[in-house]
Amino acid sequence: MRSLTGIDKCPNCGGKLIQLRNKMHCEYCDYEFKVEGARDADAGIGKAEDGFIKDSWFDYQVALKKLQKGSDTKSMMKGFNFCINELGTSGEICDYIIKKLMPKAGIYAPNIKDDKLKVFLKNLRGKVSEHENILFYANTGLFSAGKAGFIITDEKIVFGAKKIKELYFSELNELAFQSQDDMAILYLNNSYDYPIYGISGGGGESIGVFGALVATLAFEENQGREKIVVREFDDGL
């Protein structure tokens, strides 16, 4: 890879460049360049002190520091930033969930400890069709026996308990993070209908990682879509 500094357009196609780790990456032709003097991959990108980085996807309407009131919320935002800035594709994020989160958390996938996934699918009463590719089920109840939580497919996220709610990635426009009293919760579209929280054994990190996965799937589905707003949760809206 060539070493370049002071460049904002891809010399291969003229497309927009974004920084990933110690490289510049073209969003259009996937050409990459090593950046002279850039930090190594493990030198801080995606960590809390660096703030939000990827502004080609997101409209950040809150400071990262404001969303970190305690250990769980710090872990949530660290997981989100890591997946968005250092991984960046749904495939890489899925691999991370399987290898790092699934062994210790109530997360299930087809053909991988999927007993509770089958129970949850039955309770969704047909909300997930046969042509959808199921990625993960996350159990959000210690005693739910697979009856509460959410399923992420390649098209949407479906929440189920007493009421069933679904949100297609094309409809995703906000990530609203709860930051009060160290409550690590993410409300998609700033709505109580679409909460990501309480994953059994997952802690705050799993919430941020799933938020990153949903946002990444939304942009992989439509690269030309509008930016997703990142904000603090406001229950007054």
Side-chain angles (χ1 to χ4, degrees):
M1 295 183 181
R2 301 185 320 184
S3 297
L4 299 174
T5 57
I7 185 170
D8 58 4
K9 291 185 179 181
C10 175
N12 186 51
C13 72
K16 182 180 178 181
L17 294 174
I18 57 174
Q19 185 168 340
L20 298 174
R21 303 188 185 185
N22 63 335
K23 303 173 185 177
M24 297 300 288
H25 174 84
C26 177
E27 292 184 309
Y28 296 93
C29 71
D30 290 330
Y31 200 52
E32 288 184 338
F33 319 88
K34 182 177 179 182
V35 181
E36 290 182 354
R39 295 174 298 177
D40 293 332
D42 61 351
I45 291 180
K47 294 184 179 179
E49 62 266 28
D50 294 314
F52 293 122
I53 297 172
K54 194 167 188 177
D55 59 4
S56 59
W57 284 6
F58 301 105
D59 176 10
Y60 299 109
Q61 296 188 3
V62 62
L64 177 60
K65 185 177 181 180
K66 191 173 183 180
L67 299 176
Q68 301 175 104
K69 302 295 185 181
S71 59
D72 277 356
T73 50
K74 285 181 180 178
S75 179
M76 174 174 66
M77 300 317 302
K78 182 178 179 180
F80 175 77
N81 261 6
F82 172 76
C83 289
I84 291 297
N85 297 315
E86 299 227 23
L87 301 181
T89 69
S90 62
E92 290 176 301
I93 297 173
C94 286
D95 286 344
Y96 183 81
I97 292 172
I98 291 170
K99 294 175 182 177
K100 300 295 184 180
L101 300 183
M102 187 176 287
K104 60 184 178 181
I107 300 170
Y108 307 83
N111 303 315
I112 307 177
K113 62 170 191 176
D114 62 356
D115 52 331
K116 289 185 173 62
L117 175 108
K118 294 176 181 177
V119 173
F120 191 68
L121 274 174
K122 187 179 294 184
N123 281 278
L124 291 181
R125 299 188 294 277
K127 287 293 184 179
V128 177
S129 63
E130 293 182 358
H131 73 271
E132 290 180 74
N133 180 31
I134 297 173
L135 302 179
F136 296 105
Y137 160 62
N139 182 22
T140 60
L142 289 175
F143 308 105
S144 73
K147 296 180 180 179
F150 58 85
I151 272 182
I152 294 181
T153 78
D154 55 353
E155 295 183 7
K156 64 190 177 186
I157 179 168
V158 185
F159 299 85
K162 293 182 179 180
K163 295 182 179 180
I164 300 173
K165 300 288 185 179
E166 56 186 344
L167 181 69
Y168 285 85
F169 300 134
S170 59
E171 301 169 336
L172 180 66
N173 52 55
E174 287 185 294
L175 300 176
F177 292 95
Q178 170 71 272
S179 61
Q180 295 179 353
D181 303 320
D182 194 26
M183 293 178 61
I185 305 175
L186 168 59
Y187 295 96
L188 305 180
N189 285 359
N190 198 51
S191 171
Y192 281 118
D193 287 337
Y194 312 121
I196 296 178
Y197 76 108
I199 300 169
S200 56
E205 180 187 11
S206 60
I207 298 168
V209 169
F210 275 113
L213 176 59
V214 169
T216 301
L217 288 166
F219 274 95
E220 288 178 349
E221 178 183 83
N222 179 10
Q223 289 288 341
R225 59 158 293 145
E226 293 184 358
K227 291 183 179 182
I228 296 173
V229 173
V230 175
R231 56 172 297 153
E232 187 175 14
F233 174 65
D234 183 356
D235 59 5
L237 293 182

